[in-house]
Every structure is written in C-alpha cells, then in structure tokens.
Amino acid sequence: MKYLSFISTCIVCLATACSSKQYEYPFRNPNLPLEERMEDLLGRLTLEEKVGQMMNQTPAIERLGIPEYDWWNEALHGVARAGQATVFPQSIAMAATFDDEALHKTFDMISDEARAKYHQYQKDKEYDRYKGLTFWTPNINIFRDPRWGRGMETYGEDPYLTGRMGVAVVKGLQGNDPKYFKTHACAKHYAVHSGPEWNRHEYNAEATPRDLWTTYLPAFEELVKEADVQEVMCAYNRFEGTPCCSSDKLLIDILRNTWGYEDIILSDCGAIDDFWRKDPRTPRHETHPSAEAASADAVKNGTDLECGGSYQALLKAVQDGLITEEELNVSLRRLFKGRFELGMFDPDELVPYASIPYSVVESPEHVAQSLDMARKSMVLLKNKNNILPLSKSLKKIAVVGPNANDSIMLWANYNGFPSKTVTILEGIKNKVPDAEVIYELGCNHTDNFVITDFGNHIFSSAGIGFASEFYNNRDFEGEPVHKGIASGSSIHYTTGGNTQFAPNVNLTNFSARFTGEFESPISGPVEFTISGNDGYRLFIGDEKVIDIWDREYTSGQQYILHAEKGKKYPVKIEYMQRIGNADLNFQIGVRTPVDYQATAAKVKEADIIVYVGGISPRLEGEEMPVDAEGFRKGDRTNIEVPNVQKEMIRALKATGKPVVYVVCTGSALALNWEEANLDAILNAWYGGQEAGTAVADILFGDYNPAGRLPITFYKSVDQLADFQDYNMKGRTYRYMTETPLYPFGYGLSYTTFEYKNAKLSQDKISKTQSVTLTLDIANTGKADGDEVAQVYIKNPNDPEGPIKALKAFKRVHVNAGSSQQLSIELQPKAFWSFNDPKQIMEVRSGKYQILYGGSSADKALQSIDLTVE
C-alpha cells in the first residue's frame, strides 16, 4: 500500500476529468456501470471474435483498439517465466513456515512485481504469454501421497493448513482496492487431483462423499467464500467418470450453485483436448467424439476459458446447434468482467496499482523477504547431543553432495529468474570466511557414476560457456526470442514441472542452439553425453556425430572424441521440442564410477562434514521425462533416498567425523538410516534464491529454526496405500494409525517451550457458538526463538472421521525466559463433521477433545474437554 497512498488524493480529480472526456465506445468509459460497459463490448463482437476471446491466447480486436492478451501467467512462489523476479522458497517450504501472515506479505510483494512488470510490458507493447495479470496460482490440492511429484507446489496434506495458506496467497495477489483487483489468483486444480502424473490425461479419480467434502473440497470452498478468488482451474483427470472440466457435479452443483461462485472457470492446459483427441503417445479420456462436442459440453458445464485450442471448434459447434451464442455470452461476460476489474480498459491514471515502480522487482526488501521465508521454512529434524548450532571457529569444514553447489535446484519449478542465487556451499563459505571449506561433489543424485566435468573449457564470443539462442518455433526461424550463455561445459534444461528453458521461451514448439569451442585439457578419450526429447543433434567441427530427431525421450547417447591436449574443437548442439515436456542434458568429461572411499578420504580431516543431498526438481515435478530408478514421469515409485547417496552418506559417517545432513526436497523422504545414525538433519526444501544464506544462518546459530512439517514423513511406502487409491483411509496424520518417521507439524528448535495455563472460555457451547482457547507459551531454554502452537480437535462422536484434525495454528516469537499468551478462537466450523445419510457437513452434539501443542504427535499434545449441546 506504500505505493498507493501518495495518489489517493488525485482519484477524485482524475475521475472528474474522465467524466467530461469523450469516449469512442461506451465500453471505454470508466464512469459507466460495469454491466453496461460489458454489454456494449459484447454487442460489438462477431461470433468469431467471441470464440477467440474464450481461449488463453486471445487475439487482438484491432477495429475496437483491443490488443491481444494471454491469460496464462504463473506466480507459484514469485512471478515466473518472464525474466528477472524475486524467487521465494517453493510452496511446500512456505507451508512449513506455518505463518499465513508472512505468506500474505510475500504475495503482496509478488503482486507488486507482477503489476510493475505488466505495466512495463504494456508500454513496450509486449502482449505475449507470462506478461499478463491473471496468475494461475495457488495449487491447493491435497498432498495425500508423497510419491506425487507436484506435491511440492501445494501447501501440504492438511485441508485446514492448505485453506489458510491459500487464502493468504489469494488476498496478497488480488489486493484490497474497492474497485480494481491487483491481479487475479486462481484456485487449482479443481478437484480430487493429486497424482499420478503419468496417467493424469486418462485417469478417473474416485472418492467417497466423506473424503470429497472433508479432504478434497474444503480449501477450495475457503478460497471461494472467504478470499473471493477470481479464477478456478478445473483438473485434467475425470471425477466419477466425467472429465473435471465438464463435471456438472463439481462445476455447477457444488462450485456455482452450492458455493455461489460467479467468476471465471478455466481449463488446465490441453484438458479439453483430453476429451476427444486420440494420441498413441499420451492416452486420453476420449469421452467425446469431436472437438465440437467436447468444447460445447465444457462451456455448458461452466468452463469459460480454455488453455489450449479446442475451443476454436465452438464456431462450428454453434453452427451445428450443439451450443448457442447466448450460452457463449454467459462465459464471455465473466471473462470481460475480469478484465474490466483489472483495469485493462481504463486509463492507468485511474488504476492505483499502475503507479507501482519497476524498481520493486527483486528489490532489496523483496530479497530480504525471500531470505526470511527460507529461514522460517527450514525444519530441523534431528540434532543429536545439540551438535547444532556449529561453532564459527571451526577450522576445516567439508561440504559434499549433489545439491551443495546447485543454484537452479533452489528455484524449484514454476520459477522466475533471480539475478543472484546463493548456493548452500556459498552460504557456508560466506558465513565462516576464515575457515577452510573443502567441497566435493561426491556423487550425483541417482547415478552410480560421475562425469568429471572439465569445467570452464568451453569458450564462445559471449564468454566462458556455450552461447545459446532460443526460437519460439521448431525450425530456428526468424530472430531468437532469447540469447544467453550456458556457463561451463554441461547443460541441463527441462520443461518438466513446467519450468522454462529460458525467459520468453515457449514450453512447447521451440528450438534451441548452443555453440562454443571446446579446448581439451587432456590428451585421450573425452566423452560427450547427450540425452533428451524430442530431437537433438551434436556437431563436432563440421561432422554431425549424433542425430536423434523427432523421437520420444532417449537417454545416454555418447560420442567419444580422441582429443589432443590444448586443441580446440568447435561444438554445436541443436535441439527441437515438438509436444509434451522438453528435456536436454549435455556434458563433456570423463566418466568414472562413484568412489565413495576416495571422497571420504578427501574430507576425513575436516572438523565437520555437511552433506547436502536429497532429490531435485529435475527428478520430481509435473509430468517429467525422467529416466531414473525410483522415479516415473515426475512422480516417485518409492520414497527412499537414491542408493548412490545412501552409500555416500554411509562412507562419510564411517570417517568418524560428525555428519550434518542438509536435505533438499519437495516431498517426504524415508530417512530411517539417517535418523538412526547421523548427527543432525535439516530439511531445507527448495529454498529459493537466498536458501544458501538461510541454511548457513541456521547451521551456525544466527537463526533458530522453527519450521514445521506440513506433510507426514513415512518410514517407507509400506505405510502407504496404492498411489492411485484416493480413499483417505490410513493416509496422512488425520487417518494414519501407524507411527511415522516424523509426524505432521514436527520440527525441532535450539530452545525448549512449555505450554501452561490452558483454558477454554466455557466448557459447554451450543452448535452455533464459538469458543476461545487461551494458553501461555514459555520459552524454557537459553535461546530466543519461534514456536508454532497447533490446535487439533478429536471428535469421538464421528468414528469414521479423522483421528484428529488441525483447526488452528499460530507462530509466535518468545524470548528466552519469557512467556507469550495466545488467544485462539474456534468457530463452529471447527467442529464440523460429515453426515453420511444427509451428505452435509454439520456440528454434532457430544464431547470433543481440544488438543494443543507443538506437533500432531500424541505425546506432544495436551487436551481439554469441551461439550457441544
């Protein structure tokens, strides 16, 4: 709001000036009622123009002075895919903060950057994808199974936590101006959608009415009713046999009629294609005979906007009588209302958010908030004998592992591009500049070999590394949309998880060229390794040595060059992407097996060994072309740490030196051996551009960790039901009867807390009353720190319901030796349970247990009884 206050006194004057201005068309007049403006615009469009406005890439209507607009934009944890932006920690990490107020502040900053970038694009007449104001976030699906690769995009496994964090995101994005929305947020993917990725275009999700209403729908209802979310995205899968984007039960009965939602419903990208298209590479629903039938059915059942091209068939569908023009108008009114309320048809002088300066983009304040969220998100899982925090006077520190010096891993997926990223290795070096820090890669994430990278031995006119050119077509036509440099002699690009290769580059139908000159540091065989899909070529000099074009994913193509030391070899890589996810990996070096003992020998003299491992967004994410043991299309087939890393950690532990494990992941891992044998474990997630500083701050005691797990960490997949089974029985802390490795809500601190003096405002209430829980939290240790107070309700009157369910949380800072009093109101909705015969949520009479403490684990909770009459 700091950018808006200085113009508030001008609004009246500007409105007066606008009222006397003559407008060519009534829809351009900001003084007319919104409905009148919409009807005027709608009445001026031809049927063909109307259809064009119902797809994400809306064409310009030049005769009315309306530029093209692409509805598709992303802001999962920062403005994505459009060049420079602040990259905050991944969503699952921000869920671990258990701080919805801090999350709201974060997304207020993200929407500041969004507005600043949008208005600059408008000035530059850039109207293409990822440059609009309609952001398809948050992902509020329930992370019901840790094998789901997209779970990292969510706010965890609990409906209440997901709802509160989702509300914060929406309010931060959409702003609080009485007339204009700052941006649009979008609740996705509606509904009953959380993997698997490999069959999502044909999968039929089944859920009991109880699970539907108590697990899969509550967060969506909160975002609709409380946050006034302006867009809802329907999911790829079917629900009860019907594709979600034509489900009258989900879209009409529940969303529009029961919840009263009146705004935009849009399809996931290509979801309408799944209704009718036959594709041998990607099996689909094939529930409709044609694009016309599919598109008409989707619109009639509430899907206003399509991400894709099937809606082009609506023109013929009207002509064939499958749908009427007036039925299209219903959707168009919602779409134009959204654009009017974003101020897209009004002068910037009337839109307060247009005054936000471009200098907010990756400003020092925003980078500081990224650091704050990274610190708050990290979860200390183990701290044997209080080995942490480490002393800054250590003389020699070893840092080992595949995530230690990887900056791109920290960006996760659906990411923007920061100007500076602090790796974990760099963060440690910065924290203890007087210590000797030894770095060893040791191993990769999954391979039992390493390619000894020749580092900076590729040179181009752009500097050290491959010069890169990207084209938004498959044939290198026209001018590149982006030029850059891929530093070093390795290339790792993927659109898996919907991550761009580079700014302004399409996710599909693009080509890329990389050129450089390799100066061999050795005489002997040098291995050039390349893999990917849909097509790639490798040239050494004028010779085409590898040619894989227009095929599905291929892995491990090698060419051996018998090189002479000091000789220079021109290298060119051409890449083409046709459809689906793109993936390109290239490396120059010498392949050698992982030598665990050699790595251990190099670091055994260190005072402490910090192993930075886990997994990577190159392995888990959205429908990815991953070819590695334990992974399938972005999902996982088990939750183990890859074997090569297990063996490396064992070798490091065998040195006898203390080992601290920094885990980077977007989901739960089975860290059984690590929990039993290592000295400390810090879960750092994918922490954004400041993650390295945050890790170092925690390891060396400049920040007291207080992140809490928003998901259960299971011991193995043996504690899980079948991945494709959407029944909640046995899943998540709410229904799990076995003991997990780490429970939901768990996290350690460098201090200790005690809960005292808890009492309820009354011990009996009616079904329509609220009750207030007050308690004191005392910091009984020697360090200042945050505590996350969690309140659960156990309902003995509903034996089919959750064992217990989170209903409130509050993160508070308590100084050592001090106490903080909390007052937490529990509204009647907190006591809802599902009535199977009536198929409704209601409050039942009886006794309830109010559980409170620092984790969902029973031993961490105290209780007070409450009677509801």
Side-chain angles (χ1 to χ4, degrees):
M1 297 305 295
K2 56 190 175 299
Y3 305 114
L4 310 182
S5 59
F6 75 96
I7 65 163
S8 59
T9 58
C10 302
I11 296 296
V12 174
C13 297
L14 288 168
T16 302
C18 288
S19 65
S20 61
K21 181 178 178 180
Q22 295 298 312
Y23 293 92
E24 186 175 3
Y25 304 107
F27 76 83
R28 288 287 186 188
N29 188 345
N31 301 294
L32 294 178
L34 179 59
E35 291 74 16
E36 186 175 334
R37 298 176 73 187
M38 287 193 299
E39 292 304 319
D40 175 71
L41 176 54
L42 198 58
R44 296 178 186 278
L45 302 183
T46 66
L47 177 59
E48 186 174 5
E49 288 170 335
K50 289 178 179 180
V51 169
Q53 297 297 302
M54 294 179 68
M55 291 173 281
N56 68 286
Q57 289 181 287
T58 62
I61 307 173
E62 294 181 0
R63 63 187 180 84
L64 299 178
I66 299 174
E68 63 184 284
Y69 180 72
D70 197 317
W71 288 79
W72 187 352
N73 210 343
E74 304 286 356
L76 184 65
H77 53 117
V79 179
R81 302 181 181 166
Q84 181 184 357
T86 309
V87 176
F88 294 89
Q90 178 60 290
S91 299
I92 193 67
M94 290 199 283
T97 69
F98 276 71
D99 192 338
D100 51 342
E101 294 177 1
L103 190 65
H104 178 273
K105 178 181 177 181
T106 297
F107 274 87
D108 187 41
M109 291 179 171
I110 290 170
S111 56
D112 279 351
E113 295 195 16
R115 267 290 176 174
K117 291 167 78 72
Y118 168 77
H119 289 287
Q120 186 61 51
Y121 293 137
Q122 292 292 299
K123 291 174 185 176
D124 296 338
K125 299 189 183 305
E126 295 182 22
Y127 307 119
D128 47 323
R129 186 168 299 167
Y130 312 129
K131 295 178 180 177
L133 289 173
T134 44
F135 290 93
W136 295 351
T137 198
N139 182 339
I140 54 169
N141 294 129
I142 297 301
F143 196 0
R144 67 183 177 90
D145 192 303
R147 289 168 288 195
W148 185 35
R150 295 193 73 180
M152 65 168 155
E153 301 172 24
T154 76
Y155 293 93
E157 69 184 36
D158 181 73
Y160 179 80
L161 177 64
T162 298
R164 299 322 305 159
M165 302 306 259
V167 166
V169 170
V170 172
K171 289 184 175 181
L173 284 176
Q174 294 188 166
N176 59 4
D177 186 79
K179 183 175 181 180
Y180 295 104
F181 284 101
K182 194 176 186 184
T183 72
H184 274 191
C186 175
K188 68 182 188 184
H189 309 82
Y190 182 75
V192 196
H193 177 84
S194 55
E197 286 297 298
W198 61 269
N199 64 355
R200 64 181 184 170
H201 300 283
E202 60 172 332
Y203 183 68
N204 179 42
E206 298 281 354
T208 65
R210 173 182 290 272
D211 287 340
L212 178 67
W213 285 98
T214 61
T215 296
Y216 296 115
L217 292 185
F220 286 97
E221 184 175 5
E222 281 195 62
L223 266 62
V224 167
K225 290 184 174 180
E226 181 179 345
D228 192 26
V229 69
Q230 289 297 290
E231 298 181 19
V232 173
M233 177 185 286
C234 46
Y236 283 115
N237 56 278
R238 279 174 286 149
F239 175 65
E240 296 181 346
T242 303
C244 288
C245 290
S246 66
S247 171
D248 58 346
K249 178 174 182 176
L250 290 177
L251 303 184
I252 302 299
D253 292 350
I254 297 174
L255 183 56
R256 294 216 185 273
N257 292 343
T258 302
W259 296 344
Y261 182 70
E262 297 179 344
D263 297 302
I264 296 166
I265 299 174
L266 62 113
S267 80
D268 208 336
C269 296
I272 308 302
D273 278 14
D274 292 343
F275 290 20
W276 63 275
R277 192 179 294 279
K278 293 178 173 59
D279 185 345
R281 289 177 59 170
T282 305
R284 301 172 186 261
H285 301 308
E286 297 183 27
T287 51
H288 294 67
S290 65
E292 291 79 14
S295 299
D297 193 31
V299 175
K300 285 184 174 184
N301 283 293
T303 303
D304 307 301
L305 180 74
E306 183 210 9
C307 180
S310 285
Y311 272 16
Q312 292 172 356
L314 285 171
L315 186 63
K316 189 172 186 299
V318 172
Q319 295 166 352
D320 292 348
L322 297 176
I323 194 169
T324 66
E325 185 172 353
E326 181 51 39
E327 286 174 304
L328 301 188
N329 289 343
V330 173
S331 291
L332 285 158
R333 289 185 182 97
R334 296 183 187 122
L335 296 171
F336 284 127
K337 174 178 175 289
R339 293 178 70 177
F340 276 113
E341 290 179 339
L342 286 165
M344 292 182 179
F345 294 96
D346 292 356
D348 279 356
E349 293 79 10
L350 290 181
V351 182
Y353 301 118
S355 65
I356 297 173
Y358 198 85
S359 58
V360 303
V361 176
E362 207 184 2
S363 64
E365 181 184 7
H366 291 192
V367 173
Q369 181 68 6
S370 179
L371 173 59
D372 186 54
M373 293 303 283
R375 288 167 171 158
K376 286 183 172 180
S377 73
M378 295 180 183
V379 185
L380 184 60
L381 298 176
K382 181 180 182 181
N383 192 18
K384 181 181 178 181
N385 298 325
N386 294 320
I387 191 170
L388 297 180
L390 301 174
S391 170
K392 293 178 185 174
S393 62
L394 291 172
K395 299 299 183 183
K396 184 179 288 189
I397 300 167
V399 180
V400 182
N403 284 330
N405 200 32
D406 188 343
S407 60
I408 296 175
M409 172 274 301
L410 299 173
W411 302 349
N413 68 350
Y414 281 89
N415 59 280
F417 300 92
S419 61
K420 170 66 176 175
T421 302
V422 182
T423 67
I424 294 171
L425 174 63
E426 185 179 359
I428 292 171
K429 286 183 173 180
N430 292 342
K431 182 63 65 175
V432 284
D434 295 331
E436 180 186 356
V437 177
I438 308 166
Y439 166 63
E440 289 290 327
L441 172 65
C443 63
N444 294 313
H445 291 99
T446 60
D447 297 326
N448 60 3
F449 61 86
V450 294
I451 296 179
T452 304
D453 196 314
F454 285 144
N456 297 326
H457 286 272
I458 286 285
F459 305 92
S460 68
S461 59
I464 299 175
F466 285 98
S468 60
E469 298 176 333
F470 298 88
Y471 301 79
N472 280 335
N473 58 74
R474 288 180 282 168
D475 301 305
F476 305 97
E477 295 176 345
E479 291 297 315
V481 295
H482 179 78
K483 290 184 177 182
I485 185 167
S487 60
S489 58
S490 62
I491 292 174
H492 301 285
Y493 288 98
T494 183
T495 60
N498 270 320
T499 300
Q500 281 183 296
F501 267 37
N504 302 320
V505 179
N506 292 340
L507 291 177
T508 58
N509 288 300
F510 67 89
S511 53
R513 181 181 289 121
F514 304 87
T515 55
E517 194 172 58
F518 170 61
E519 182 176 348
S520 179
I522 65 168
S523 291
V526 175
E527 179 176 307
F528 291 68
T529 301
I530 187 168
S531 65
N533 69 325
D534 287 299
Y536 52 82
R537 302 183 180 112
L538 173 64
F539 299 80
I540 307 295
D542 295 329
E543 183 182 1
K544 187 192 302 179
V545 296
I546 295 177
D547 187 359
I548 305 291
W549 208 250
D550 201 14
R551 301 188 190 181
E552 292 188 62
Y553 185 84
T554 55
S555 61
Q557 302 295 307
Q558 287 90 30
Y559 174 75
I560 303 299
L561 172 69
H562 296 280
E564 297 178 22
K565 184 176 180 179
K567 185 174 180 179
K568 297 178 179 179
Y569 300 88
V571 178
K572 180 172 68 174
I573 304 161
E574 292 185 339
Y575 179 77
M576 177 274 291
Q577 199 277 340
R578 182 176 65 87
I579 193 170
N581 288 310
D583 193 76
L584 176 64
N585 298 282
F586 176 78
Q587 195 164 16
I588 305 174
V590 176
R591 178 182 300 223
T592 56
V594 171
D595 192 333
Y596 306 104
Q597 299 309 316
T599 299
K602 291 177 182 178
V603 300
K604 66 180 181 180
E605 301 302 323
D607 300 316
I608 191 87
I609 300 171
V610 179
Y611 180 80
V612 190
I615 51 179
S616 165
R618 297 192 191 106
L619 294 169
E620 60 174 342
E622 181 177 2
E623 201 175 1
M624 301 172 69
V626 175
D627 181 22
E629 184 179 354
F631 298 88
R632 182 181 185 186
K633 294 279 281 188
D635 294 326
R636 289 184 291 158
T637 57
N638 61 56
I639 59 173
E640 304 296 322
V641 176
N643 284 328
V644 66
Q645 293 191 63
K646 285 186 176 182
E647 293 302 317
M648 181 58 68
I649 296 169
R650 288 187 173 99
L652 297 175
K653 180 62 180 176
T655 63
K657 292 302 174 71
V659 177
V660 175
Y661 190 4
V662 178
V663 181
C664 298
T665 180
S667 47
L669 295 170
L671 301 169
N672 300 288
W673 187 91
E674 293 81 358
E675 164 63 24
N677 293 279
L678 298 185
D679 298 276
I681 305 173
L682 177 68
N683 189 2
W685 311 104
Y686 304 133
Q689 68 184 82
E690 289 294 307
T693 300
V695 167
D697 285 346
I698 291 172
L699 293 183
F700 291 92
D702 288 334
Y703 188 85
N704 188 350
R708 299 292 184 263
L709 292 180
I711 49 176
T712 299
F713 271 47
Y714 301 89
K715 293 178 180 178
S716 75
V717 291
D718 294 338
Q719 291 187 317
L720 295 167
D722 183 90
F723 189 10
Q724 298 185 64
D725 183 358
Y726 270 74
N727 191 309
M728 288 302 296
K729 183 179 180 180
R731 290 191 182 278
T732 76
Y733 82 93
R734 294 165 67 232
Y735 294 96
M736 187 179 185
T737 56
E738 299 180 58
T739 301
L741 179 64
Y742 303 117
F744 175 90
Y746 171 81
L748 301 177
S749 172
Y750 293 155
T751 190
T752 54
F753 297 95
E754 184 178 347
Y755 288 72
K756 301 178 178 179
N757 306 321
K759 61 182 179 179
L760 296 173
S761 56
Q762 46 194 326
D763 56 12
K764 291 183 181 180
I765 60 172
S766 72
K767 294 180 181 179
T768 59
Q769 281 183 294
S770 298
V771 66
T772 300
L773 171 68
T774 58
L775 53 84
D776 296 329
I777 298 179
N779 184 335
T780 56
K782 297 181 180 180
D784 300 345
D786 289 359
E787 168 69 342
V788 177
Q790 302 161 47
V791 179
Y792 299 84
I793 291 182
K794 179 178 286 190
N795 181 4
N797 312 292
D798 183 16
E800 299 298 316
I803 297 169
K804 55 179 168 284
L806 182 71
K807 296 299 177 182
F809 61 87
K810 182 67 177 177
R811 182 170 179 142
V812 293
H813 186 78
V814 189
N815 291 332
S818 299
S819 295
Q820 287 280 354
Q821 186 177 76
L822 287 186
S823 180
I824 298 172
E825 183 183 14
L826 297 170
Q827 297 180 351
K829 188 176 180 180
F831 301 95
W832 274 4
S833 59
F834 187 71
N835 184 316
D836 284 282
K838 294 181 180 180
Q839 301 279 288
I840 60 171
M841 301 293 292
E842 64 177 12
V843 179
R844 298 183 185 182
S845 299
K847 287 190 175 181
Y848 292 77
Q849 284 184 286
I850 312 299
L851 310 174
Y852 59 92
S855 164
S856 69
D858 287 342
K859 65 181 181 180
L861 296 170
Q862 301 177 55
S863 70
I864 302 179
D865 291 338
L866 173 73
T867 299
V868 177
E869 299 178 326

